[in-house]
Amino acid sequence: MANPILALIISFFLPGIGTVYAGNIMKGIIIFIVAVILGALATIFLLGIIAYILYIIVWLYGMYDAYTTASAT
């Protein structure tokens, strides 16, 4: 059984990996890949603003999903 607080902390530093820890491997990998792509796009000036906002949304969702997935198991 995964610890929800630990899953949240892991996702704070690595979005999606907390979800992998909680047991939902495919969803966690998708969140991680999307976060990496958005982080890379954030370096481009005009697109970067939009990518940064989307990155924050994915990051917050990753923490939420890791916590709820760990709580459900």
Side-chain angles (χ1 to χ4, degrees):
M1 184 166 156
N3 182 347
I5 299 298
L6 182 58
L8 179 83
I9 291 170
I10 293 170
S11 275
F12 179 82
F13 293 106
L14 294 168
I17 304 302
T19 304
V20 171
Y21 164 75
N24 199 342
I25 296 169
M26 191 57 144
K27 191 176 196 180
I29 291 171
I30 291 170
I31 292 170
F32 181 75
I33 290 171
V34 169
V36 167
I37 291 170
L38 289 173
L41 288 176
T43 61
I44 301 170
F45 179 68
L46 183 58
L47 185 60
I49 297 168
I50 297 167
Y52 185 72
I53 292 169
L54 291 174
Y55 175 81
I56 296 295
I57 293 169
V58 169
W59 178 62
L60 291 172
Y61 175 74
M63 289 190 291
Y64 166 77
D65 186 59
Y67 184 84
T68 55
T69 301
S71 295
T73 58

